[in-house]
Each structure stands twice: as C-alpha cells, then as structure tokens.
Amino acid sequence: MNRLTRTAALAAALMATCLLAPGTTAHAASGGAAGADWLSLTVTRPGTTGGGTRAALLLCDPPQGHPKAAEACAELGAVDGDFGRLGDSGTICSLIYAPVTAHAHGRWNDRRIDHERTYANECELRAGTGAVFALDG
C-alpha cells in the first residue's frame, strides 16, 4: 500500500470514527497513539457544488497527510493550536472578493478543535493561516 493510500485510509477511518461516535478522541481513532495531534482540514468556495473543495488530514507525529505537513505542524505548534494567532498580519491582499471557507476539526494538545472562518479571497486565507490551509501544495 503506498503512502497516499495509507493516508487516505487513515483519513477515512478517523472521519468515520468521528461521525459515528462524536465523543471519540484522536487517541482511540488513531489506534492508541497517545497525545496524537490530528486535524481534518477543508477549504471550500461558498455557493459552489463542491468541485473546488480541497481536503487533507494533517498528522503531526510524524508530519504527514498534507502537502506542507512539516510547516503546518510547526506553525500550529508555535501558537499552541490557536488559529487566531496564525498567519502574517503584514500581508497586503487585493480587494477582489472571491470567498473561501476554511474548516478544521480534530485534536491538538488533547483539546478538541473546531474552527471555521470565511476569508474574502485565497490571499487573505494564506495570510491568515500560513501553511495550515495550503492544501494545493
């Protein structure tokens, strides 16, 4: 089984576990990896049928399942999983309105994470979240 297939299988197992048993922790869903940090990440365009949706399962021990897993894990680690502290406030973006919604749910440092925010465009998403939602590589 190649790496992509293993990652997809793990993502499916984690998502199924979370959907079937909302109280299940990442510890149980990941086969007993104590303290495992994991986030299911999606980026969608509101008002579309889902054709432009990007998704990844970010695992951080070791970093995998995401095009920029090591960067995303390091950035989240630097802010202790606080999405409000991610990104670069000095980035200047155009005023073109092409909204994108970023959603993250999972566990970080034994805390449940459920974060969702709509940004005016991709530039604002990147500026506000760094590598975490850079799901297109």
Side-chain angles (χ1 to χ4, degrees):
M1 189 180 321
N2 68 31
R3 185 176 180 192
L4 181 58
T5 304
R6 281 192 313 267
T7 301
L10 180 58
L14 282 170
M15 288 177 164
T17 301
C18 292
L19 290 173
L20 295 174
T24 302
T25 65
H27 175 77
S30 64
D37 294 332
W38 66 273
L39 293 171
S40 174
L41 305 166
T42 58
V43 176
T44 58
R45 295 196 177 280
T48 64
T49 59
T53 298
R54 300 181 308 258
L57 177 68
L58 175 64
L59 303 171
C60 289
D61 188 23
Q64 60 184 318
H66 182 291
K68 296 183 178 185
E71 287 176 62
C73 291
E75 290 174 8
L76 283 164
V79 299
D80 193 30
D82 181 353
F83 281 80
R85 295 174 37 212
L86 281 173
D88 176 11
S89 61
T91 300
I92 298 172
C93 295
S94 70
L95 297 177
I96 296 171
Y97 187 68
V100 291
T101 299
H103 182 241
H105 79 273
R107 303 224 30 110
W108 189 267
N109 289 338
D110 293 324
R111 288 189 330 266
R112 184 169 189 221
I113 300 292
D114 193 11
H115 169 81
E116 182 172 286
R117 181 171 172 196
T118 300
Y119 296 84
N121 55 45
E122 289 277 343
C123 177
E124 288 190 10
L125 169 68
R126 296 291 165 89
T129 64
V132 175
F133 286 101
L135 304 180
D136 54 3

